[in-house]
Amino acid sequence: MSSEYAKQLGAKLRAIRTQQGLSLHGVEEKSQGRWKAVVVGSYERGDRAVTVQRLAELADFYGVPVQELLPGTTPGGAAEPPPKLVLDLERLATVPTEKAGPLQRYAATIQSQRGDYNGKVLSIRQDDLRTLAVIYDQSPSVLTEQLISWGVLDADARRAVATHEDA
């Protein structure tokens, strides 16, 4: 394992641990000594290689999929990622409520959950688009076309949806 990869892996391990509000000693206590603070710390610093088996066990301990612990596998020269799905909230406010009511309520809920009230744009995930497609009783690609026609989504969203549907 290259030292750069080990450091990236360690950064992911540290991020997951801190998201769970655990110190290194907290990991040791919570695992009842199965995971020693010094060992987990050496994994996080990239000073010590972790076996696939131990990584799987650590992922299980943290309650996350192993993939969440692995650094990105996309090489530097890979194709660019698909564009994000970004709702134009100012434009959404101009769409009649009888058309856009469900989307307006959904966007307001996301804003509330995130504490994101800039009022101009809102990034949504592919899962959000699929949920909205169910609400509107349309396929994600048909809904995307509808949102583009309303001016709520940029035309680049077509590529994001097509890329995701191909996967």
Side-chain angles (χ1 to χ4, degrees), residues 2 11 25 40-41 51 76 83 86 89 92 94 115 126 130 133 142 149 156:
S2 78
H25 290 288
V40 174
T51 65
V86 180
L89 296 175
L92 178 58
T94 68
Q126 292 286 344
R130 282 195 297 276
V142 169
S149 74
D156 279 347

Side-chain angles (χ1 to χ4, degrees), residues 92-110:
L92 178 58
T94 68
V95 179
T97 303
E98 60 271 7
K99 288 182 177 179
L103 177 57
Q104 291 165 339
R105 288 188 297 278
Y106 195 86
T109 300
I110 292 173

Side-chain angles (χ1 to χ4, degrees), residues 86-92 94-95 144-154:
V86 180
L87 295 175
D88 182 333
L89 296 175
E90 292 174 327
R91 190 66 187 257
L92 178 58
T94 68
V95 179
T144 299
E145 291 302 322
Q146 181 70 57
L147 299 179
I148 290 169
S149 74
W150 292 348
V152 173
L153 274 182
D154 188 275

Side-chain angles (χ1 to χ4, degrees), residues 91-145:
R91 190 66 187 257
L92 178 58
T94 68
V95 179
T97 303
E98 60 271 7
K99 288 182 177 179
L103 177 57
Q104 291 165 339
R105 288 188 297 278
Y106 195 86
T109 300
I110 292 173
Q111 285 179 294
S112 173
Q113 289 173 342
R114 294 182 189 169
D116 178 4
Y117 298 103
N118 77 20
K120 296 183 188 315
V121 296
L122 180 69
S123 295
I124 62 170
R125 299 174 180 93
Q126 292 286 344
D127 286 345
D128 294 321
L129 184 66
R130 282 195 297 276
T131 300
L132 286 164
V134 169
I135 291 168
Y136 278 94
D137 196 23
Q138 298 176 342
S139 70
S141 56
V142 169
L143 179 60
T144 299
E145 291 302 322

Side-chain angles (χ1 to χ4, degrees), residues 22 24 47 56 67 74 107 133 139 153 160:
L22 292 170
L24 288 171
D47 295 340
Q67 298 88 320
T74 307
S139 70
L153 274 182

